[in-house]
Amino acid sequence: MRMLCWNVNGLRSVLKKGFIDWLGREDADIVCVQETKAGSVQLPLEITGAPGYHFYCTSPLEKKGYSGVALFTKKAPKSVSYGFGIEKYDSEGRTIIADYGNFVLLNIYFPNGKMSQERLDYKMGFYDAFLDYVDKLKAAGRKIVVCGDVNTAHTELDIARPKENSKKSGFLPMERAWMDRFEEHGFIDTFRIFEKEGGHYTYWDTFTKARERNVGWRIDYFYISENLRNDLKDAFIESDVMGSDHCPVGIDLNV
C-alpha cells in the first residue's frame, strides 16, 4: 500500500497546476492533503469526484480560505471522523481520522505558531491533545499511521539553517522537545529509518526562492506506531513535485 501526504497550499490552486494529473500518475492507495483552504462544497467535481477515489474533506468553520485537510482513498474506511472531540482544536478543520480496521490513519495539519504567542500556545495545546488521542489508540493495541504538516523541524538535520532559526516557531526548543516526547511514546519517523543524512526538505520559502538553493525545512512527516515497524517497506520525499511551497512525502506499507 502506497500512502502520500502533501500540503498543497490551496487545493483549488494546485488543481490549476496539474494536481489531478499528478494524482493519476502516482496511483497511490491513499493521498492525504493539508491546507486545502476550502470545504467540500467549495471544491469542483474534478477533485471531489477524482476517478478511483473516495473523497473526504473537512469544512473549515472559523475562517474561509484557511486550514482544512482532505483524504483521497481507493478503499473506503470503516469510519471517518474529524477531530479529537475538543471543540477548541477541532473548529479549524485540521484533522481527518480514518479507521481502516487493521490500522488507523490520522491526516493532520498541525498549527503554525509564528504569528503570535497566542498561536504558539494554541499549537502546543494542539500537540498535547493529539498526543493524548494517539496514546489512547496505542493503549488499545491499534496500529497507527500519522501524516501531515507538523510545522516543526525536529533536529538540525531537518533544517538548512538551524542557528538562524533557533528562536523562531518551527524550530524552538519546546517544539523540538515535544517531537522527542512523541517519539518516546512509541512513534517512528519513517523517513529516518531509510535516510540518516541532512539536506532533505519538504518546505521552502517562496519569497526568497529558497527551493532553488535547497534552503528548506523538513516539516512534513509520516509517523507509524512501533507495531507497524516490520511492515514499513520504504519512505521517501518527492522533492521534484512542484505546485506548492511544500512537496509530497510518502511511504510504502505492507498492510
Side-chain angles (χ1 to χ4, degrees):
M1 176 178 283
R2 172 156 289 196
M3 304 183 194
L4 297 175
C5 167
W6 191 9
N7 179 324
V8 294
N9 193 18
L11 196 43
R12 288 170 293 185
S13 175
V14 80
L15 177 63
K16 301 173 185 177
K17 303 171 184 176
F19 176 79
I20 295 299
D21 290 339
W22 170 81
L23 190 67
R25 287 195 307 271
E26 291 287 350
D27 195 33
D29 299 283
I30 293 172
V31 178
C32 298
V33 299
Q34 301 86 45
E35 204 170 357
T36 60
K37 298 184 179 180
S40 56
V41 296
Q42 300 166 291
L43 295 170
L45 185 60
E46 286 177 273
I47 292 173
T48 61
Y53 288 99
H54 302 274
F55 179 77
Y56 303 88
C57 182
T58 59
S59 295
L61 303 178
E62 290 191 343
K63 299 178 183 178
K64 290 184 178 180
Y66 176 76
S67 191
V69 292
L71 170 67
F72 298 84
T73 174
K74 289 185 175 180
K75 179 180 178 181
K78 291 188 172 183
S79 66
V80 176
S81 55
Y82 297 91
F84 311 131
I86 303 172
E87 176 64 20
K88 179 179 180 181
Y89 300 120
D90 296 345
S91 61
E92 293 186 358
R94 294 181 174 275
T95 306
I96 289 179
I97 302 166
D99 191 335
Y100 286 88
N102 55 344
F103 70 97
V104 181
L105 170 69
L106 292 92
N107 170 22
I108 304 182
Y109 177 36
F110 291 85
N112 190 316
K114 289 182 179 179
M115 295 299 293
S116 65
Q117 182 63 47
E118 181 182 4
R119 288 305 293 180
L120 179 58
D121 292 342
Y122 181 87
K123 177 181 182 178
M124 299 310 297
F126 188 102
Y127 274 174
D128 289 341
F130 157 76
L131 188 54
D132 287 344
Y133 189 94
V134 291
D135 275 348
K136 290 173 183 175
L137 289 175
K138 188 170 178 289
R142 301 302 307 272
K143 295 181 176 180
I144 305 162
V145 178
V146 178
C147 71
D149 177 358
V150 180
N151 258 314
T152 295
H154 186 193
T155 75
E156 291 191 356
L157 291 177
D158 302 312
I159 187 169
R161 294 178 175 170
K163 290 182 179 179
E164 294 89 334
N165 290 286
S166 61
K167 296 183 179 180
K168 296 179 181 178
S169 179
F171 200 60
L172 293 174
M174 64 189 297
E175 295 166 318
R176 298 170 61 196
W178 181 87
M179 294 194 74
D180 288 339
R181 186 156 63 97
F182 178 40
E183 293 189 358
E184 288 165 1
H185 281 227
F187 292 89
I188 299 167
D189 179 350
T190 57
F191 185 71
R192 286 295 171 219
I193 294 295
F194 301 95
E195 180 55 68
K196 306 300 183 183
E197 301 298 322
H200 303 277
Y201 309 120
T202 65
Y203 163 80
W204 302 264
D205 181 76
T206 54
F207 296 104
T208 60
K209 298 183 178 180
R211 194 165 189 168
E212 297 174 12
R213 297 173 286 119
N214 198 32
V215 179
W217 304 52
R218 190 173 77 96
I219 58 176
D220 303 88
Y221 300 83
F222 264 99
Y223 273 91
I224 57 172
S225 52
E226 289 175 338
N227 54 6
L228 278 173
R229 172 64 184 88
N230 292 335
D231 298 308
L232 180 66
K233 302 308 175 186
D234 195 13
F236 50 90
I237 294 173
E238 296 189 340
S239 56
D240 59 336
V241 175
M242 310 302 284
S244 170
D245 50 359
H246 295 247
C247 73
V249 299
I251 59 171
D252 291 328
L253 197 64
N254 187 21
V255 291

